[in-house]
Amino acid sequence: MKPADDAAQQALDAVRDSLRDLIDDADTPSSVREALQAEYSDLQTLWQKLEGNELHVAVFGRVSVGKSSLLNALLARNVFATGPLHGVTQRADTDQWTRLGDSAVRVFDTPGIDEIDGQGRERLAAQVARRADLVLFVCDADLTQLEYAALAQLAATHRPLLLILNKADRYHQAERARLLDRLRERTATLLQPEHVLSAAADPRPETVVRIDANGEETESTRPRAPDVAEVAARVSEILEREGLLLSALNAGLYASEVSDTVAARVADIRSTAAQRVIRGYCLGKGLAVAINPVPLTDLAAAAALDVSLVFHLGRIYGLPVTRHEAGRLVGVISLQLAALMGAVWAVHAASSLLKTLSAGLSVTVTALAQGSVAWYATYVIGQVATRYFVNGRSWGPGGPKRAVNDVLSLVDRESILAEARQALTERLRRQRQ
Ligand SMILES: Nc1nc2c(ncn2[C@@H]2O[C@H](COP(=O)(O)OP(=O)(O)O)[C@@H](O)[C@H]2O)c(=O)[nH]1
Ligand SMILES: [Mg+2]
C-alpha cells in the first residue's frame, strides 16, 4: 500500500469506529434515538459503506435529462427504468456497479429535481450529498435557474461533482462545443472546467442513406451505441484518487453533526427533567417549611430535602454522587448563598422566629413567607447544582462563588417568589379543606 492509501485507510478506520461508537452509545436515551431515527439510519448506512469499502456515485438533475440512462450506460446494463414520461424514477434507487481496487462502487438513481417541491428537493440534495462520494449532475441543455441553484447547493457540500451535458447526439459538433463552453463559463465558480463533460447515454438511432447500384436512395436507421467513455474514465479517476479519503471525511463530518444533535437533545431532555425535579423539591420544601411548626427542625428537614435534590440531579445528568457528596455540595452552595444573599436568609430566620412567636391570625402569612423563601433557596440550589453537573461535575473557572453569583443574576427572584406563594397558597388551602 502507498503511504497516501495508508493514511486514507487509517482515517477510514478511525471514522468507522467512531460511527460505531455513536450508533452503539448506551448512554443515548431511547427517546433521542426515536426522534433521530432518520439520522441513525443514515449513520448505519454510512458505517456499512465504510465497512464494505464502498464508494457511492449518485446522479442528480431535472427529469428526463437522462439520469437513469446515464447510469445504465455506465453499468452497461439496463437496471434503471428510463422513459420519455415524467417521473419514471420515483425514489433513490441503488445498484452495485463495479469494483475499483478494494472498493465496490454503487450507483444511485434519483427522481428529477423538478418533480418535487422545494423542501423535498433540498432534502433529496442533502441526502444525496451525504452519502455520495461523487455526484454526476446531468443536464441536456444550458442550465435553468432551478438547475443552477441545485448545482450550487451541491457544490457547497464540497463533494466532487461532474456536470454532464447529456444527449450530445442532439447537437452538432460546433454547437456542442459552444454549449460546453457556455456551461463551463457559467459554473466557473462552482466547478473546475475539466469537470464539465458531454455524453450520449442513449442516443437516437442514426439515419443512414444507401444508394444502390441503380442509384436509388433508401433510408434506414441504425442503432447507436452509448457514448459515456469520457465520463466513465473521469469517474474512475476521481474515485481512485480521492474516493476513500473523501468517503471517510464525509462520514466523519456527518457523524460529528449527528453527535452534536444527539448531545443537544440529551441536554434538552436532561434540562427538562432537572427543572421538573427542582420544582417538585421546591414545592416539597416550601410546604415542609410552611407547615412544620418547629423552626429548628424545619431547617434541618429543609437541608435534607436539598441534599436529596442534588442527589437526584446527579442521576439525571448521568453523574451520580453519594448522599455524602450531595450534602457537601449543598453545604458549599448554601455557604455562598448565605454570603451573597444574607438579607434573604435573614428574612428566613426572622420569619422562622416569627412563626413561633406569632399565634393565630399571622401564622398563615408568615408560614407563606417562610415557605416561599425556602422554595426560592431550593430553586437556586437546584440551578447551581444543575450547572455543576452540566459542567461535568465542575464549578467552572470562577469556582462555586461565581457559579452561585451567575445563577442569582439570571434568576428573577420576584417571579420565583410569586410563583412559590401562589403554589403554596393553593396547596395550603387544599390541605385545610
Ligand atoms: N437523444 C438522446 N436521448 C436520450 C439520451 N439519454 C437519454 N435519452 C432519452 O431521454 C429520455 C429520458 O431518459 P431517462 O434516463 O429516463 O431520464 P431521467 O428522468 O433523467 O432518468 C428517454 O426517452 C431516453 O431514451 C441521449 O443521450 N440522447
Ligand atoms: Mg430516471
Side-chain angles (χ1 to χ4, degrees), residues 62-70 81-84 88-89 109-110 166-170 199-204:
R62 253 183 332 107
V63 70
S64 285
V65 290
K67 298 180 297 299
S68 303
S69 304
L70 179 70
T82 64
V88 171
T89 310
D109 199 3
T110 61
N166 188 34
K167 306 192 184 175
D169 57 299
R170 294 200 313 194
D202 187 14
R204 293 295 89 114

Side-chain angles (χ1 to χ4, degrees), residues 94-106:
T94 157
D95 186 81
Q96 183 133 339
W97 174 18
T98 180
R99 297 197 71 83
L100 257 179
D102 290 337
S103 304
V105 178
R106 286 163 81 89

Side-chain angles (χ1 to χ4, degrees), residues 277-292 297-314 323 326-327 329-331 334 348 371 374-375 377-379 381-382 385 424:
V277 164
I278 291 172
R279 196 177 191 281
Y281 276 92
C282 284
L283 187 61
K285 185 171 134 189
L287 281 174
V289 168
I291 292 165
N292 198 320
T297 45
D298 72 5
L299 284 178
L305 277 173
D306 288 339
V307 172
S308 280
L309 166 61
V310 171
F311 181 77
H312 207 140
L313 288 174
R323 295 239 165 227
L329 281 173
V330 170
S334 300
H348 190 298
W375 172 308
T378 293
Y379 182 82
I381 288 173
L424 290 175

